[in-house]
Amino acid sequence: MNRGQSITVRLTLLFASVSTTVLLLLGLLIGALVEEHFEELDLDLLAGKLHAIQHVLAKAGSARELAALPEQLDDSLIGHHGLAVTVRTADGQPLFSSSEVVFPEALLADAGNPAATPRLWANSDGRQFRGIAAFPTTKISGQPALVVAVATDIAHHEHFMHTFRVALWSVVALAALLSGFLGWLAARRGLAPLREMQQRAADITASRLDQRLAVAEIPAELAEVAATLNGMLARLQESFRRLSDFSSDLAHELRTPLSNLLTQTQVTLGKARSVEEYREVLASNAEECQRLSRMVADMLFLARTDNEQLVPQRETIDLHQEASKLLEFYAALAEEKHIRLTLAGAARVRGDRLMLQRALGNLLANALQHTPDGGEIAVGIGAAGGVCERDDGNEESKTGVTLAVENTGETIPAEQLPRLFDRFYRADAARKRVADGGGSRTAATGENAAGSDQGSLGAGLGLGLAIVRSIALAHGGDASVSSANGVTRFLLRLPSA
């Protein structure tokens, strides 16, 4: 598996590159300033000597005084090592030359040009010079024009700059290594909290999902990441808990019918029995098998919902009409327990008719099961604004529809309400069976609302409310429950037609 480059290495290289670049630019700037300073010093020296020579030539009033010029110039150059002077006529005849330095013709041609800059050149022996030239004046009448050139040896400057460059590159290389090492230390120290987070996260296993990262001990830059990880761990812990509870409940639910089947079969086979007795045992076994079949069908239904494979066949549905049919179907059961059924409100929704019949049938079956004799069940339909999910998965704000089923009875503790829609969950001993997810037989046609028989009211599988929420979510809505003052209220929110 390809792995990205280490953050420590990246920060080290970045730190070393930045510091090296800064030092290099600083060194180049200092070198340029030193070079410019040396040039200014040379120009001051050359200009001063050129002015002195021009002054000497300006005092020469005769050919004899001009002939004595070399001696005077030699005296003026005493102590100025590396300084070269030449005086010649405009046609190139030398009058004085202090050394064997060969002055370039381009330098002599710059004489009298105020815009000319000092020229650099190398002598035959490899020494470099910087020089300037000018036209001096004399008092000798008829004297041809003279050219004076002054140059200075810049070897000591070049030697200094060479030494400076070597020192600069050495310091830059050493600084790059040192800054890289310091950057590595700083990166390692700065990323220490991240390594600590990694170690603590590695210690979290399926059996230790209650552990969390200490956000207060983590730098602010990583605190948001730690908080996000803690939120993920909390969701994982809740998912593991639900999965564990579901597995345990599923095993318990399967054990009872399987145990009944096995026990009855073993007892029946213990001795010879009459045909009628065998028929009774087979009927009992068939009932248990039917219960197992409903449970498997409900589990498959919920699995399709979890995998987003449950696609409602949408059509316009009159909720008042569907609720009336289901209340008529359950009227006989309600009458046996002297429970009063009421219906109020009307609305239309777009959804799957059989799914919505199943959801409402499960809620009514649940309410009938847990409403005491002489109680009341009220179905209310109304409009409510909210955010609903469209078929393409996006959300839009539109007017929704609420479908509420209220029943009197015991108040459910608040801490148990969020788990009522969990699979196989029982709120308490009094609520041993929540209405099963097998759906309900419609009052209008007698068909199974979602492909399975409701069965007896007391034979719930503990999947009914889970299926109710799954159907609501499949339609872009939601389901909730509240219980207070002896009234429990289940509320479905659905998009309106």
Side-chain angles (χ1 to χ4, degrees), residues 272-492:
R273 299 179 183 277
S274 64
V275 175
E276 185 65 28
E277 289 176 327
Y278 281 123
R279 182 179 291 108
E280 292 178 359
V281 172
L282 290 176
S284 177
N285 289 350
E287 183 180 350
E288 294 296 341
C289 289
Q290 187 179 24
R291 181 174 177 226
L292 287 173
S293 176
R294 290 202 308 272
M295 182 183 300
V296 172
D298 292 343
M299 293 302 301
L300 290 176
F301 181 87
L302 292 173
R304 291 176 59 199
T305 304
D306 293 340
N307 295 321
E308 298 181 355
Q309 296 178 357
L310 189 64
V311 180
Q313 302 297 321
R314 297 184 182 272
E315 59 179 301
T316 302
I317 300 172
D318 187 337
L319 287 182
H320 183 89
Q321 182 179 357
E322 298 300 327
S324 298
K325 294 177 182 179
L326 288 171
L327 288 177
E328 182 180 353
F329 175 73
Y330 284 108
L333 293 174
E335 186 176 353
E336 290 179 5
K337 299 179 66 176
H338 306 287
I339 297 175
R340 189 164 65 97
L341 303 178
T342 61
L343 172 63
R348 292 179 179 272
V349 297
R350 284 192 58 79
D352 190 299
R353 185 181 302 275
L354 295 181
M355 286 187 186
L356 292 179
Q357 285 177 353
R358 184 176 191 179
L360 181 55
N362 287 351
L363 291 178
L364 289 174
N366 178 74
L368 283 169
Q369 182 178 351
H370 300 296
T371 302
D373 291 351
E376 181 181 356
I377 297 176
V379 178
I381 303 172
V387 178
C388 298
E389 185 178 350
R390 299 200 305 258
D391 291 339
D392 58 5
N394 296 322
E395 292 184 344
E396 64 178 352
S397 178
K398 61 184 292 187
T399 302
V401 173
T402 61
L403 174 61
V405 177
E406 296 182 356
N407 69 279
T408 58
E410 295 183 6
T411 301
I412 304 174
E415 64 272 11
Q416 295 181 0
L417 292 177
R419 299 196 59 192
L420 286 183
F421 292 99
D422 291 354
R423 300 167 191 182
F424 299 120
Y425 180 74
R426 272 73 168 167
D428 50 40
R431 291 178 172 260
K432 290 183 179 179
R433 301 284 183 190
V434 188
D436 76 353
S440 62
R441 189 179 300 274
T442 64
T445 65
E447 297 176 348
N448 297 330
S452 63
D453 191 5
Q454 173 66 23
S456 62
L457 194 59
L461 301 177
L463 297 174
L465 295 182
I467 290 179
V468 169
R469 169 166 282 182
S470 298
I471 292 175
L473 293 176
H475 284 78
D478 197 4
S480 61
V481 59
S482 60
S483 184
N485 302 322
V487 177
T488 299
R489 184 173 190 259
F490 287 89
L491 181 66
L492 291 183

Side-chain angles (χ1 to χ4, degrees), residues 74-135:
D74 282 336
D75 293 339
S76 64
L77 294 177
I78 294 175
H80 294 280
H81 302 288
L83 194 66
V85 178
T86 184
V87 180
R88 62 181 65 183
T89 61
D91 57 2
Q93 296 297 321
L95 296 180
F96 172 77
S97 182
S98 63
S99 64
E100 297 180 355
V101 177
V102 179
F103 287 83
E105 293 298 327
L107 174 65
L108 300 177
D110 286 340
N113 182 7
T117 58
R119 287 189 177 269
L120 290 173
W121 76 92
N123 208 23
S124 58
D125 56 2
R127 292 188 301 167
Q128 289 190 326
F129 290 86
R130 177 181 284 116
I132 58 177
F135 287 128

